[in-house]
Amino acid sequence: MLRELLAASHLMSMEQLPGAVSEHAAKVGLHDVEIYVVDLQQTVLRKLAGTAPVVESDAWSETDLQINRTVAGRAFQTVQTLAGQTFPDGTVQYWAPILDGTERIGVLRATLPQDDERARQDVEYLAGLVALMIVSKGPYSDTYARLIRTREMTVSAEMQWRMMAPLSFANDQMVIGAALEPAYRLGGDAFDYALAGDVVHLSVFDAMGHDTASGLTSNLAVAAGRNLRLQGVPLRDVGRAIEEILLEQDSSGRFVTAALADLDLRTGVLSWVLHGHPAPVIIRGGRWVASLRCEPGHPLGTDLGVSAEVCEEQLEPGDRVVLYTDGIVEARDPNKDEFGLARFVDFIIRHNAGGHAVPETLRRLTHSILEHHAGRLDDDATVLLLEWHGTSGREDGGVPVIAS
């Protein structure tokens, strides 16, 4: 089944994918196969049909499945294959998460002839192949882009989502998760990360303003940062080089604040530099242990001549490093009460203690912030979280972690 479906996928559009998956799955006894993909704000699961969705604003469908209220949603949240309805003839419905690495794309539903371990594994393998097919075809499909939206998107948000890295990534040494709101009205916030050998690079930017021009500024900062990394420019010089590019390309006076960091996955040494940006936070052992204060430089693009200090911190296995923009902590409810840094960090700690993985913790965090702010944010709110597992998963054992 998988071999034939993979061969057929090379000349297949997104609209043809559901029918082809259902047809090939039926050959091995998996019936009534349906694919559901998660919307941009990770609130509902939407059925991937064989036709393009209607272009409407606030277009909710009766086939949408609420993540917080359904078995399909629990499969998405827990990243586990779960049994659904059992029918009188003995057939069983199962829901399997559709995953690209740790990136949660949606869930796949299939009806099995009986509750059989081998058949459940077939559902999971099929979901894995469907994930690869969606990822390969998604960038070229307006059908998919429309389906995962529930309202109209601004031009600035369009640029940001097309440019940024996936919301989650993991290997045996770390997990990275990110979240951004307001999803459909993003202005000047952006994040980026990349892995180069044993070093992972992290960055968060917050451009002045909340319009398309601020989106252009943050896009330019991210692109410049990527270009400089690939040239091997060291962390201490990246900020200054980004600023030179901003000043060269934009004389309007717009600027970005930035938090730039490198983590050596072998040793757990975190290096970071701040440019007018909030200090990162470390969560260790279920406690907020430190805000990583460091002598900041000026915001990039202001050309004020204030040099930034490069600071270092020794992490311990299990530590979570949190980079964020001020929109996260400054979000206010209708009574003008701030969400606040303490509540922000406590939320992550409590959900970590509850056994939630990084991506699910951040999904719940953004929904909590939106609820606190009555569904609308006055500023972009971005968080980038890295959890370091240490070197225990490496075959070579890495370099021993030095105690703090």
Side-chain angles (χ1 to χ4, degrees):
M1 173 191 66
L2 298 177
R3 182 176 63 247
E4 292 178 0
L5 183 56
L6 178 61
S9 71
H10 296 304
L11 296 176
M12 188 185 300
S13 69
M14 186 68 77
E15 288 84 358
Q16 294 171 310
L17 192 153
V21 170
S22 180
E23 176 186 346
H24 284 81
K27 296 178 182 179
V28 294
L30 305 180
H31 298 286
D32 302 319
V33 173
E34 300 282 3
I35 299 167
Y36 289 80
V37 295
V38 67
D39 77 301
L40 201 60
Q41 291 183 302
Q42 298 188 336
T43 301
V44 296
L45 296 160
R46 317 197 80 182
K47 184 178 177 180
L48 182 64
T51 57
V54 177
V55 182
E56 293 181 5
S57 177
D58 298 314
W60 294 87
S61 169
E62 62 181 14
T63 62
D64 290 349
L65 304 177
Q66 297 288 327
I67 288 178
N68 292 335
R69 301 177 185 174
T70 60
V71 175
R74 289 202 302 275
F76 179 85
Q77 293 178 65
T78 62
V79 199
Q80 295 180 352
T81 300
L82 299 178
Q85 187 174 359
T86 299
F87 300 97
D89 62 359
T91 57
V92 183
Q93 192 178 80
Y94 267 86
W95 297 90
I98 300 174
L99 303 171
D100 176 37
T102 54
E103 180 80 359
R104 298 178 296 177
I105 297 172
V107 295
L108 181 141
R109 188 199 73 193
T111 300
L112 284 57
Q114 57 186 2
D115 191 358
D116 176 76
E117 177 64 27
R118 174 62 183 271
R120 288 200 302 272
Q121 291 178 358
D122 287 345
V123 173
E124 292 172 350
Y125 294 144
L126 178 60
L129 180 56
V130 168
L132 297 177
M133 295 166 70
I134 291 176
V135 169
S136 69
K137 300 177 188 305
Y140 317 105
S141 172
D142 279 358
T143 293
Y144 181 70
R146 288 171 181 163
L147 185 62
I148 63 174
R149 302 179 187 193
T150 59
R151 62 182 65 108
E152 294 180 352
M153 181 177 287
T154 65
V155 173
S156 179
E158 190 81 54
M159 288 192 301
Q160 303 298 70
W161 283 111
R162 298 282 184 173
M163 175 268 300
M164 279 181 286
L167 292 179
S168 64
F169 170 81
N171 63 13
D172 61 336
Q173 295 169 281
M174 66 170 179
V175 178
I176 295 175
L180 302 96
E181 285 290 347
Y184 295 94
R185 296 185 297 111
L186 280 175
D189 274 17
F191 73 86
D192 195 25
Y193 64 84
L195 183 62
D198 289 309
V199 176
V200 59
H201 305 284
L202 308 167
S203 56
V204 171
F205 299 94
D206 184 356
M208 178 188 74
H210 312 292
D211 53 11
T212 302
S214 62
L216 289 168
T217 302
S218 59
N219 264 260
L220 182 57
V222 170
R226 290 175 176 173
N227 181 260
L228 295 162
R229 286 200 320 260
L230 292 173
Q231 294 181 49
V233 175
L235 181 63
R236 65 178 179 274
D237 298 326
V238 170
R240 183 171 65 251
I242 290 175
E243 178 168 69
E244 291 175 357
I245 294 170
L246 290 175
L247 293 172
E248 176 186 342
Q249 298 297 325
D250 184 359
S251 59
S252 66
R254 289 185 172 270
F255 60 86
V256 297
T257 67
L260 311 172
D262 289 346
L263 174 63
D264 189 320
L265 295 172
R266 300 167 302 165
T267 65
V269 173
L270 177 75
S271 306
W272 76 99
V273 61
L274 302 174
H275 293 275
H277 201 86
V281 168
I282 289 184
I283 298 172
R284 176 177 298 155
R287 294 185 301 111
W288 173 11
V289 297
S291 291
L292 299 179
R293 305 295 178 187
C294 193
E295 193 65 34
H298 59 260
L300 303 176
T302 58
D303 197 22
L304 297 177
V306 181
S307 298
E309 179 184 3
V310 178
C311 297
E312 291 187 350
E313 177 78 12
Q314 177 65 58
L315 300 186
E316 297 179 6
D319 280 359
R320 289 184 169 189
V321 180
V322 186
L323 284 69
Y324 61 95
T325 62
D326 56 13
I328 284 282
V329 297
E330 294 178 0
R332 296 179 181 271
D333 65 14
N335 296 321
K336 303 302 181 181
D337 293 328
E338 281 190 352
F339 194 79
L341 181 58
R343 187 184 311 191
F344 166 53
V345 176
D346 180 66
F347 188 100
I348 295 175
I349 291 172
R350 285 188 291 106
H351 282 72
N352 183 36
H356 297 296
V358 168
E360 179 61 18
T361 295
L362 295 184
R363 186 188 75 86
R364 296 182 181 216
L365 171 67
T366 54
H367 289 191
S368 179
I369 291 173
L370 284 170
E371 182 180 345
H372 176 83
H373 203 59
R376 295 185 67 87
L377 297 175
D378 295 327
D379 192 8
D380 293 353
T382 299
V383 57
L384 180 62
L385 189 155
L386 181 145
E387 179 181 291
W388 182 59
H389 295 156
T391 58
S392 59
R394 291 172 55 91
E395 293 183 1
D396 61 4
V399 176
V401 175
I402 304 168
S404 298

